[in-house]
Amino acid sequence: MTDRHGRSRSTWADVVLLLIGACFLLPLLWLVLGSLDPAAGHETRIPEQAGLGNFAAVFTPELLFRPLWNSLLLSTGTGVVTLVAAVLAAYPLSRYRSRFNTPFMSAILFGTCLPVTAIMVPVYGLFVQLRLLDSMPATVLFLAATSLPMAIWMTTNFMDAVPVALEEAAWVDGASRLSGLRSIVLPLMGPGLGVVFIFVFIQAWGNFFVPFVLLLSEANQPAAVSIFSFFGQHGAVAYGQLAAFSILYSVPVLALYVIVARGSGNALPLAGAVRG
Amino acid sequence: MAAHHSDRQVLRYLPVLPAVVLLAVFLAGPVVWAFHASLTNAGLTGRHARNPEWVGLENYQRLLQDPAFPLSVVLTVLFVAGSAIAGQNVLGMALAVLMRRARPAVSATVGTAVVAAWVLPEIVAAFAAYAFFSRDGTFNQLLGAFGLAETDWLYAVPMVAVILANTWRGTAFSMLVYRAALNGVPAELTEAAQMDGAGAWQRLVFITLPVIRGSIATNLMLVTLQTLAVFTLIWVMTAGGPANGSTTLPVLAYQEAFKFGDIGYGTAVAVVLILIGAVFGLAYLRLLREQKP
């Protein structure tokens, strides 16, 4: 079989791909089946009495709503702080030519290479010294700092794509730099900014290690950390509820990813990292 | 005139300030602090938490004598080589190549399955992998169906389990990078080779791979860095055990600092990890410079 580009399609490629794809789905099978099984354990099995009991059991303020609300606060806060700082930084980097630009962008790119797990011990030390442990705003600022290098890189690329000529026309009409940025540049790069925001949001939503180290009280913990409450005091684990909670916690970011992938042909979040 | 010019220059760059402050306080600050703290006996609680003393290179000397440290360096190398370079990179490439030959519906479906494991929050992926490899988990159920002896993967071969799990979790990144790279290979090149009688394998090895070698190098660098930093997956699946059998450097740093309360010593481990990251980061910058036309 040949497609319109003259490439041959082969059945063996289909078969091999489907086998690999099945291997990738297998570990997720437990999550889905376990969430519907009131007597779930480690093993994957068809539930004898499938039902939504596990979902009903986790639908409480303490187990579900507060952790998800905390996740939402953390992720939205991180997204907003990152985006504002990234847009402000991207403007001069994109619009002015200076000796300062290349070293700054290189330093930023170098920053994306820092293994964040390696700095969690020193960050904990810093938070102790500054008495910022268990503070949501401080955690938001730290998460924003970790996503800033990539966000600045992506935002600058998006802003470079907006022609300066459009702004110049506005300046001739008497608009200031700031109003030019607000009324001309930002609307044109709106989809790109959306991608950056969602990308940062997804990362913050899924981050476990940072809130695990920096947010101590139950009232502040996001879903990534509160998930441990399904491990009972005496080693008993509510596996069915753990699976149900995992699904409810994952759905928002899966949905957001689909939106980004639809809008950007799947590869955009990587563009900054790989094309350089 | 010159002074006036540079004043304006500084003012123009004022908007960069919030980003620079955030990066300085929360990223550069901790890195500098880490180098300092690794030379002290700072503790999590008690006397050493309030008044850490300067101990010079004592923590680093202790690292070299501690049998757990060389073991965790070896395990980190194994983890990166196994799950990033061999696992994610090779499997990602294979998927990208196969997807060009398969039917569009098949490659879209399989692509979604691969990406799902990657987009899932890391703690959920870690629990799923833990359940998959546990003694009565899906993996053993499958092996049992083929009449194979069951192994308690997480205890008997913890590194194999976490390497497979991290390959499952991270392959999507390489797959997306290689799909984009393969789409950028000029069709005339491979067509010309085909005319000259080159088979599919020869075209891949002698035409396609050399053309996309820049993407391959960049991808190897990035997956190595991402894998060096993996903590949650290992911590949930094995907690570094049994008997330090899967304690990579991030897990070791966490254990020393938070479980044993020895911030100074744990930070020394973190500094080693930061230095390894810095070496790869510099190599990455060089690579990108060479790629620029």
Side-chain angles (χ1 to χ4, degrees):
Chain A
M1 202 172 113
T2 307
D3 73 358
R4 61 195 159 83
H5 299 295
R7 275 203 307 256
S8 57
R9 301 285 180 192
S10 62
T11 309
W12 70 264
D14 289 347
V15 173
V16 176
L17 263 188
L18 285 171
L19 277 175
I20 300 177
C23 293
F24 273 81
L25 280 182
L26 274 174
L28 299 178
L29 204 57
W30 171 80
L31 274 183
V32 177
L33 292 176
S35 72
L36 300 171
D37 188 347
H42 278 149
E43 77 276 23
T44 302
R45 55 170 201 182
I46 308 294
E48 279 165 26
Q49 289 176 310
L52 297 176
N54 292 320
F55 289 94
V58 299
F59 246 71
T60 69
E62 301 86 58
L63 284 178
L64 187 71
F65 304 132
R66 202 199 46 221
L68 285 186
W69 173 246
N70 288 337
S71 294
L72 186 69
L73 284 181
L74 274 182
S75 312
T76 312
T78 305
V80 170
V81 172
T82 305
L83 204 60
V84 170
V87 166
L88 288 173
Y91 189 78
L93 289 167
S94 169
R95 290 306 187 237
Y96 306 130
R97 295 283 151 255
S98 156
R99 278 172 303 161
F100 170 76
N101 288 11
T102 311
F104 185 79
M105 289 309 268
S106 296
I108 290 292
L109 204 60
F110 185 66
T112 62
C113 297
L114 188 70
V116 174
T117 35
I119 62 165
M120 281 322 289
V121 181
V123 165
Y124 178 85
L126 180 80
F127 272 53
V128 171
Q129 301 250 304
L130 300 175
R131 300 187 185 281
L132 290 173
L133 271 189
D134 206 26
S135 149
M136 288 276 260
T139 308
V140 163
L141 290 179
F142 174 65
L143 282 170
T146 60
S147 33
L148 253 180
M150 188 62 88
I152 292 179
W153 194 264
M154 287 166 72
T155 312
T156 309
N157 283 343
F158 286 129
M159 208 177 274
D160 284 343
V162 178
V164 188
L166 293 173
E167 269 173 283
E168 282 166 352
W171 299 335
V172 169
D173 294 339
S176 68
R177 288 248 169 210
L178 191 65
S179 69
L181 174 67
R182 208 179 45 219
S183 60
I184 311 275
V185 185
L186 291 185
L188 282 174
M189 54 189 293
L193 293 180
V195 168
V196 177
F197 181 85
I198 293 178
F199 193 48
V200 173
F201 186 98
I202 290 178
Q203 278 191 333
W205 184 272
N207 198 316
F208 163 78
F209 198 30
V210 172
F212 179 64
V213 171
L214 298 181
L215 294 174
L216 308 175
S217 71
E218 247 176 66
N220 281 336
Q221 280 169 357
V225 181
S226 79
I227 206 163
F228 282 102
S229 56
F230 296 101
F231 290 81
Q233 299 246 309
H234 308 288
V237 185
Y239 285 105
Q241 294 180 22
L242 176 75
F245 181 85
S246 298
I247 289 177
L248 292 172
Y249 162 51
S250 305
V251 163
V253 291
L254 293 176
L256 281 177
Y257 182 82
V258 171
I259 293 172
V260 178
R262 281 265 166 82
S264 67
N266 236 329
L268 241 183
L270 307 171
V274 181
R275 301 235 178 85
Chain B
M1 190 64 190
H4 180 75
H5 181 77
S6 70
D7 275 359
R8 211 177 55 193
Q9 183 90 316
V10 169
L11 273 181
R12 284 177 153 190
Y13 278 90
L14 209 58
V16 181
L17 205 62
V20 170
V21 169
L22 273 177
L23 292 171
V25 173
F26 291 105
L27 287 189
V31 171
V32 174
W33 193 86
F35 280 91
H36 167 80
S38 71
L39 303 172
T40 69
N41 62 1
L44 193 59
T45 53
R47 192 163 53 84
H48 293 316
R50 281 190 300 276
N51 296 310
E53 292 155 16
W54 187 262
V55 296
L57 292 173
E58 205 175 275
N59 286 321
Y60 292 96
Q61 279 165 355
R62 221 180 106 195
L63 268 188
L64 293 176
Q65 282 153 13
D66 185 348
F69 178 69
L71 174 67
S72 93
V73 171
V74 170
L75 292 177
T76 309
V77 171
L78 258 180
F79 185 63
V80 171
S83 73
I85 296 173
Q88 297 177 11
N89 178 57
V90 173
L91 188 57
M93 172 73 80
L95 282 165
V97 169
L98 284 170
M99 281 171 156
R100 290 173 72 77
R101 316 209 101 224
R103 284 173 184 78
V106 172
S107 41
T109 312
V110 174
T112 306
V114 175
V115 166
W118 181 58
V119 183
L120 226 48
E122 54 180 336
I123 192 84
V124 173
F127 281 134
Y130 168 74
F132 185 76
F133 283 109
S134 64
R135 194 163 43 189
D136 38 9
T138 316
F139 196 39
N140 274 334
Q141 286 178 284
L142 281 173
L143 293 180
F146 289 105
L148 294 167
E150 290 184 8
T151 314
D152 199 342
W153 299 93
L154 296 169
Y155 286 92
V157 280
M159 279 315 285
V160 174
V162 294
I163 285 173
L164 287 175
N166 193 48
T167 304
W168 165 71
R169 163 101 174 128
T171 295
F173 183 84
S174 302
M175 181 189 81
L176 293 174
V177 169
Y178 288 137
R179 285 201 78 177
L182 290 180
N183 281 335
V185 176
E188 306 87 67
L189 274 181
T190 44
E191 277 161 18
Q194 197 166 14
M195 301 278 222
D196 293 342
W201 184 250
Q202 285 173 314
R203 290 200 302 274
L204 178 69
V205 174
F206 295 112
I207 310 284
T208 311
L209 292 186
V211 170
I212 63 165
R213 65 178 186 281
S215 299
I216 297 176
T218 312
N219 184 59
L220 278 174
M221 204 71 78
L222 291 175
V223 296
T224 299
L225 280 162
Q226 286 161 5
T227 306
L228 266 179
V230 168
F231 169 83
T232 307
L233 193 70
I234 299 179
W235 193 76
V236 167
M237 287 179 72
T238 67
N244 285 344
S246 57
T247 304
T248 55
L249 285 170
V251 180
L252 184 68
Y254 175 81
Q255 280 180 340
E256 292 296 344
F258 296 114
K259 228 163 113 189
F260 307 128
D262 199 338
I263 295 271
Y265 190 54
T267 312
V269 179
V271 165
V272 173
L273 199 54
I274 290 172
L275 289 176
I276 298 174
V279 169
F280 277 95
L282 288 175
Y284 176 51
L285 285 184
R286 243 196 111 131
L287 199 71
L288 288 179
R289 246 204 322 268
E290 281 167 11
Q291 269 176 49
K292 284 223 176 99

